[in-house]
Amino acid sequence: MNTPSVILKSTILATCLFWIPIMSKDFQSDMILFVFLSIIPISLCCAFTILLTIAPFFWFHGKASSDGSVHRNKVIFNKYFPFYAITTFSLCLYGTIKFSFAISFFISVFFTTMQSWIWFAKNNQ
Amino acid sequence: MKNIPLLIGAFLFSILFYKQDIGLNFSLFSLLTIIILLIHNKNLFKKKSTIIFSIVFLITAITTFFYRSSLAITAYIVAFLTLIGHVSEEGSSVYVNWLNGAYTFIAGIFHRNFNTNEKDEKAIPKQKVDYLHLIKIIGIPLITVIIFISLYKNGNPMFSELISKIDFSFINIQWLLVSVLGYYLLSNISKPVRVDPATTYDLNTGNSLGIKGNIAEEKLKKENQLGFILIALLNILIVFFIITDITYLISTNDLRASAFSNQVHNGINTLIASIIIAIIIILYFFRGNLNFYKDNKNLKTVTYAWIILNLMLIINIVIKDCQYIYYFGFTYKRIGVLIYLLLTIIGLLTTSIKVKQIKNFWYLFRVNTLTAFTILIVSSTINWDNYITYYNLNYAQSMDFNYLLELSDNNTFLLKNYADRNNLTAERKSLIEKKYEAYLTELESKKWQEIHYDNFKIKKDQ
C-alpha cells in the first residue's frame, strides 16, 4: 500500500478544492502566496485524516484472501465505505450549517476523503 | 449521449438553487429527479411500487410548495431518499431504502467508479493518459505566469493598471461551481447503488420465524414458566396503575395548565418506559422455539392481556391530552403526543400480530418503519400552523396568543383575517399587523425560484 503517494495526491486535491470556491468569490493575485503556504497545514490535515480514519480499515482488516488483495480491497470498500461516506457527509453538513464561513473547508474534506478511499482501495489493483 | 440530460439537469440545478431560498425550486427539482431516474432506469418505472414512491415524492414536493414548513421539508427529503433507495433495490425494506438512498445521493459516483466492471473496461482499450505530463504542461506554465504577473504588477504601474483592467466578472464561477455540484448530485442518483452486505441481508431475511434446532422441552418449560410469572405480575401492576390513574382523573377538579401538563408528560414518560420494556420482554420470550412450544397458550394469553392493558393506558393518556387541548388549545407538543400515541398503538398491534403469526424481529421493524414513513408523509400534507391557529382562536377555552404569533408564516393570513373581523386589543392588532407586513415584504422580495403558494394568494388579493 503506497500511503505517502495517497497523502500527496490528497494534499493536491484538497488544496485545489479548498481554494477554488474562495478564489471564485474574490480573486486577488496576492492569494497565490497563501495557496502555497496553505499546502503545509493541508498536507498535515490530509496525513492525519488518512492515517487515522481511512488507512486502518485496510491495515487491520485481516490478511489478504486467497484470490489476492484486489478482492480484499473490494470487500473492505463495499463494507465500510458507505457508512464512512454517510458519516463524513453528515459531519460536513453539520459543520457547514454551524460555521458557514468555512464551507470550502468542509467541501474539501468531503471530496478529498471520498477520493482517498478510491485511491487507497485501487492502489494494489 | 446519456450525459446530455445530466448536463442540462446540472445547469437547471444551478438556475434553481444558486443563491435561492426554498420554494418552487424544490418542486421543480423533484420533477428533474424523476426525469433523470426515468431516463436511466426505464424498466423500473413500469412497476407499481416505483410509480407509487414517485407519486409520494411528488406529493411532498407539492406540499413544500404550499406550506414550506420544516415538517414538509423533512418529508420531502425522506421521500426523496426512499425513492432513490427503491430504485437501487426494489425489493428491500423502507429503512434499507433510506440507507441506499442516502449512500447513492452522497457518494454514488465514487461507488460506481470503484466497482466498474473490469470486463467492460477491457472491452474498450483505452489509451493511457499521462496525467503527470498533463499537469506539467498546464499547471507549471500557469502557475509561473501568475507568479510573474504578480511580480511585474509591483514593478511597473502601467502594467499593473493594464492587468487590473482585465475583467472576467461576466463569468460567474460560483454559478458554474453550483452546476458542477448539480452534475455530481444528479450523476449520483442517475444509477442508484446498493449498500452491501446490508441490502443482501435484508433481501435474504424473511418475516417469519422457524424452528431452530431441536425443541428442548425441559428448557422451554422453564422459560415458559418464567415468562408467564413475569408478564402476569406486570399485568397486575399495570391494572393497579390504570385504576389509580382513572380515579385521579375522575376526582380531580384542578384545571390549571401546569397540572394538565404534568399529568400528560408524566403519563407519556411512564408510557414510553412501559411500551419499550413490554416490547423487549415480548421479543425476548418469543424470539425462538418458545413460539412452537405446545403449552405456551397461557403465556400468549397474558401477553395479549398486557398489550390490551397498555392500549388502555394509551387511551387514558389520549383522554388527558384531549382535555388539555380542549381547555388550552393545540400546540405542536400536544399534537406530537397524539401522533406518538398513534404510533404506539400501531406498534402494540404489530407486536400482537408478531406473537400470533410467529413473526420475527425484522417483521416488526419493517412494518413499523413503513407505518412511521406513511404517518410522516400524511402529516406533512396538513397545514398544522393554520389548523392550530384556527382551533385555538375559535374553539379553545383559553389560549396563548403569543404562541400563535410565534408560529411560522403559514398562519399569517388567518391571523390577519381574524384581526380584521374581531375586536382585538390595540396591542394584539398591532402585533398581527407587524407580522403580516413583514411577511408581505418577504413574499414580494422573492425571486421566481423561491415563490410558493402564498405569493399567488397576495396577487389574488391585490
Side-chain angles (χ1 to χ4, degrees):
Chain A
M1 185 107 3
N2 196 356
T3 311
S5 127
V6 175
I7 294 173
L8 184 71
K9 284 193 271 188
S10 301
T11 305
I12 297 167
L13 179 67
T15 311
C16 294
L17 288 172
F18 180 74
W19 282 103
I20 287 171
I22 296 171
M23 287 183 168
S24 69
K25 206 172 182 182
D26 179 27
F27 177 75
Q28 280 164 6
S29 55
D30 307 344
M31 280 177 171
I32 304 293
L33 180 68
F34 292 104
V35 173
F36 286 109
L37 281 175
S38 71
I39 291 174
I40 300 162
I42 288 174
S43 65
L44 288 173
C45 283
C46 285
F48 277 118
T49 312
I50 288 168
L51 292 174
L52 294 176
T53 71
I54 301 173
F57 287 104
F58 294 88
W59 290 340
F60 302 121
H61 191 271
K63 286 171 187 168
S65 55
S66 55
D67 49 349
S69 61
V70 174
H71 178 70
R72 178 178 164 268
N73 282 3
K74 202 166 187 170
V75 169
I76 297 169
F77 183 89
N78 286 333
K79 197 171 180 181
Y80 300 112
F81 177 71
F83 301 100
Y84 185 94
I86 293 169
T87 312
T88 310
F89 179 79
S90 309
L91 291 173
C92 290
L93 186 68
Y94 176 76
T96 309
I97 294 165
K98 203 84 180 158
F99 314 102
S100 55
F101 62 89
I103 187 167
S104 60
F105 171 76
F106 292 110
I107 289 173
S108 168
V109 169
F110 176 71
F111 286 105
T112 309
T113 49
M114 295 300 105
Q115 188 56 41
S116 299
W117 262 91
I118 304 279
W119 281 325
F120 242 104
K122 279 194 169 177
N123 220 285
N124 281 357
Q125 285 190 19
Chain B
M1 275 300 277
K2 283 207 168 181
N3 266 345
I4 293 169
L6 289 179
L7 283 170
I8 296 168
F11 283 109
L12 285 175
F13 182 87
S14 212
I15 291 167
L16 292 175
F17 290 105
Y18 177 65
K19 286 188 177 174
Q20 307 296 341
D21 201 357
I22 295 165
L24 183 66
N25 48 10
F26 259 48
S27 310
L28 295 176
F29 180 70
S30 69
L31 285 176
L32 185 63
T33 304
I34 291 171
I35 291 167
I36 295 285
L37 282 172
L38 189 67
I39 291 169
H40 291 87
N41 309 275
K42 270 178 198 149
N43 288 334
L44 269 169
F45 275 82
K46 286 172 188 162
K47 298 198 169 155
K48 254 186 193 172
S49 56
T50 316
I51 295 167
I52 289 170
F53 279 120
S54 306
I55 292 169
V56 167
F57 181 42
L58 285 174
I59 289 170
T60 58
I62 294 165
T63 310
T64 316
F65 175 71
F66 273 87
Y67 310 139
R68 219 180 51 149
S69 63
S70 314
L71 186 69
I73 294 164
T74 310
Y76 177 89
I77 294 166
V78 175
F80 171 73
L81 296 181
T82 314
L83 174 65
I84 304 292
H86 181 77
V87 174
S88 83
E89 182 52 66
E90 48 172 322
S92 56
S93 312
V94 176
Y95 54 88
V96 177
N97 283 347
W98 295 338
L99 183 68
N100 285 336
Y103 179 47
T104 299
F105 178 65
I106 292 166
I109 208 167
F110 288 102
H111 179 96
R112 290 202 303 271
N113 180 13
F114 181 75
N115 286 293
T116 321
N117 197 336
E118 281 145 29
K119 280 177 193 167
D120 293 347
E121 275 190 342
K122 277 172 192 167
I124 313 157
K126 279 183 185 172
Q127 211 179 352
K128 207 181 173 192
V129 182
D130 189 353
Y131 288 108
L132 193 69
H133 182 66
L134 210 66
I135 291 168
K136 272 183 193 169
I137 60 162
I138 297 170
I140 295 172
L142 193 73
I143 292 166
T144 317
V145 166
I146 291 170
I147 292 169
F148 272 88
I149 285 173
S150 43
L151 283 173
Y152 292 154
K153 257 176 83 179
N154 295 329
N156 182 345
M158 205 173 157
F159 180 77
S160 174
E161 203 186 321
L162 207 71
I163 290 293
S164 58
K165 273 183 184 168
I166 300 172
D167 184 16
F168 286 110
S169 63
F170 65 94
I171 305 171
N172 192 338
I173 298 171
Q174 283 198 316
W175 191 90
L176 287 175
L177 287 177
V178 176
S179 298
V180 173
L181 181 71
Y183 183 84
Y184 171 74
L185 295 178
L186 293 174
S187 173
N188 277 348
I189 63 171
S190 62
K191 287 174 206 151
V193 292
R194 291 170 27 150
V195 176
D196 264 326
T199 311
T200 314
Y201 182 77
D202 179 63
L203 290 173
N204 295 336
T205 309
N207 285 331
S208 299
L209 268 175
I211 299 173
K212 285 176 196 164
N214 296 323
I215 293 184
E217 287 272 343
E218 197 54 37
K219 200 182 159 198
L220 289 178
K221 192 182 170 186
K222 283 177 187 170
E223 208 172 304
N224 188 48
Q225 277 175 344
L226 174 68
F228 178 76
I229 293 167
L230 182 67
I231 298 175
L233 277 174
L234 288 172
N235 270 328
I236 295 166
L237 199 67
I238 206 171
V239 167
F240 271 115
F241 180 81
I242 291 169
I243 290 169
T244 51
D245 207 34
I246 290 171
T247 315
Y248 177 77
L249 199 69
I250 296 165
S251 61
T252 188
N253 291 317
D254 194 355
L255 289 179
R256 280 178 298 126
S258 59
F260 262 121
S261 174
N262 273 338
Q263 276 182 40
V264 172
H265 294 139
N266 288 341
I268 280 292
N269 291 336
T270 313
L271 193 71
I272 291 171
S274 173
I275 303 288
I276 290 171
I277 296 168
I279 291 175
I280 290 172
I281 290 173
I282 291 168
L283 281 178
Y284 175 75
F285 284 110
F286 291 96
R287 72 188 182 282
N289 287 347
L290 198 57
N291 286 286
F292 306 99
Y293 181 57
K294 61 181 188 305
D295 293 327
N296 68 1
K297 210 178 169 187
N298 288 338
L299 179 63
K300 281 194 173 179
T301 310
V302 286
T303 307
Y304 293 136
W306 200 25
I307 290 171
I308 291 165
L309 288 169
N310 271 301
L311 287 172
M312 283 174 73
L313 194 67
I314 293 171
I315 291 164
N316 190 19
I317 297 168
V318 168
I319 293 168
K320 280 182 197 171
D321 199 37
C322 288
Q323 273 185 315
Y324 193 13
I325 290 164
Y326 174 74
Y327 286 114
F328 302 104
F330 270 122
T331 61
Y332 268 102
K333 267 191 179 174
R334 289 163 212 168
I335 294 167
V337 167
L338 287 179
I339 288 175
Y340 171 74
L341 293 175
L342 176 67
L343 285 169
T344 316
I345 290 171
I346 294 164
L348 283 171
L349 291 176
T350 49
T351 309
S352 65
I353 293 170
K354 178 235 168 313
V355 175
K356 194 169 188 299
Q357 296 178 0
I358 314 179
K359 303 280 186 189
N360 56 13
F361 165 75
W362 295 109
Y363 162 79
L364 268 188
F365 202 49
R366 278 174 189 146
V367 174
N368 290 331
T369 44
L370 189 62
T371 310
F373 174 67
T374 313
I375 289 176
L376 174 71
I377 300 299
V378 172
S379 59
S380 74
T381 59
I382 298 165
N383 187 355
W384 290 107
D385 290 334
N386 207 49
Y387 278 105
I388 289 169
T389 311
Y390 181 78
Y391 179 87
N392 291 4
L393 289 174
N394 296 299
Y395 301 107
Q397 302 293 307
S398 66
M399 52 116 189
D400 183 357
F401 186 76
N402 287 332
Y403 179 78
L404 299 182
L405 281 174
E406 281 163 15
L407 289 174
S408 79
D409 285 320
N410 282 327
N411 70 351
T412 309
F413 292 127
L414 186 67
L415 279 174
K416 169 77 177 153
N417 226 351
Y418 185 79
D420 289 345
R421 289 180 185 178
N422 292 280
N423 283 327
L424 297 180
T425 59
E427 191 199 350
R428 283 188 174 183
K429 247 187 181 166
S430 95
L431 284 170
I432 290 175
E433 202 61 42
K434 208 174 155 188
K435 184 173 176 165
Y436 179 72
E437 290 301 330
Y439 188 44
L440 278 191
T441 317
E442 191 200 318
L443 285 176
E444 278 160 6
S445 68
K446 284 192 183 303
K447 292 174 192 159
W448 72 265
Q449 293 97 327
E450 301 168 321
I451 58 165
H452 59 115
Y453 180 63
D454 283 352
N455 282 82
F456 295 101
K457 263 187 182 173
I458 55 164
K459 271 183 191 168
K460 238 189 233 175
D461 292 344
Q462 282 164 359

